[in-house]
Amino acid sequence: MNNEIEVGIRAAQPNDAGAMLAMLKQLQTESDFFELDTELDQVSAASEARQIELLNSSGTNLILLATAGTQLIGIATVQQVSDVTGEVGVAVLNDYQGMGLGTMLVDELLNWQLHYSELQRLVLEVKKVNLPAIHIYHKLGFKQQSETNTTIWMQKDSEN
């Protein structure tokens, strides 16, 4: 019997809302690096489904999901923060870290920005102690813009 599970990356769909909320709650309990602006307990699957639909049609926002079989195991987002700038967020469940998923997710965001988005710049904030993430961002062309005692702000401009 083969125990291999196919891992994939795809855009979030409205019917992913419930599973996505469950994964986000799990990520909050697993990671000191994962933070959300929203209190997840106050978000319904129906409202999250509507949000996914709106974001998918914007051209300036994106939610990508990493999957193992039918299970959601990671997420990468771009949220528009100005006319030409989007902020990146990435998280992978602990059991699936170290497999290159974070790199693949960020690479897919960059491909989307270059070929499908109106955004000219991607920015992100990363905690200084999150060395694996910092390594990924540098490897994919993000440059440090500023820092505080605990975080680094990074940026990557479109290659168009």
Side-chain angles (χ1 to χ4, degrees):
M1 181 183 235
N2 188 348
N3 289 336
E4 290 185 21
I5 297 172
E6 185 173 330
V7 174
I9 296 174
R10 62 176 175 77
Q13 297 301 315
N15 63 354
D16 291 318
M20 195 170 90
L21 288 170
M23 179 186 59
L24 293 172
K25 287 178 185 177
Q26 182 177 347
L27 285 164
Q28 279 187 314
T29 66
E30 289 185 353
S31 175
D32 294 332
F33 306 126
F34 183 73
E35 298 174 7
L36 289 173
D37 296 336
T38 309
E39 182 59 45
L40 287 177
D41 291 333
Q42 298 174 8
V43 179
S44 71
S47 67
E48 187 67 14
R50 284 191 297 279
Q51 189 68 18
I52 291 169
E53 202 163 21
L54 288 171
L55 292 175
N56 281 350
S57 64
S58 72
T60 53
N61 296 275
L62 180 65
I63 302 172
L64 291 179
L65 298 172
T67 60
T70 59
Q71 180 187 358
L72 301 185
I73 60 170
I75 186 167
T77 62
V78 174
Q79 181 178 353
Q80 184 177 18
V81 293
S82 77
D83 287 348
V84 297
T85 303
E87 186 172 356
V88 170
V90 180
V92 175
L93 293 175
N94 283 352
D95 287 348
Y96 297 91
Q97 291 181 5
M99 300 169 58
L101 283 174
T103 301
M104 288 189 294
L105 284 164
V106 175
D107 195 46
E108 285 298 317
L109 292 179
L110 294 173
N111 181 59
W112 169 81
Q113 178 210 9
L114 185 63
H115 297 288
Y116 303 103
S117 170
E118 303 163 19
L119 298 174
Q120 297 171 14
R121 177 180 311 109
L122 294 179
V123 297
L124 58 87
E125 179 182 16
V126 61
K127 292 189 178 181
K128 285 183 174 179
V129 295
N130 192 351
L131 298 178
I134 292 169
H135 174 75
I136 289 169
Y137 300 136
H138 278 299
K139 181 171 72 172
L140 293 174
F142 283 84
K143 306 285 187 228
Q144 182 172 328
Q145 297 301 305
S146 63
E147 64 181 271
T148 67
N149 288 337
T150 59
T151 63
I152 298 171
W153 278 95
M154 302 179 87
Q155 172 178 313
K156 181 166 177 34
D157 293 324
S158 176
E159 297 163 3
N160 283 357

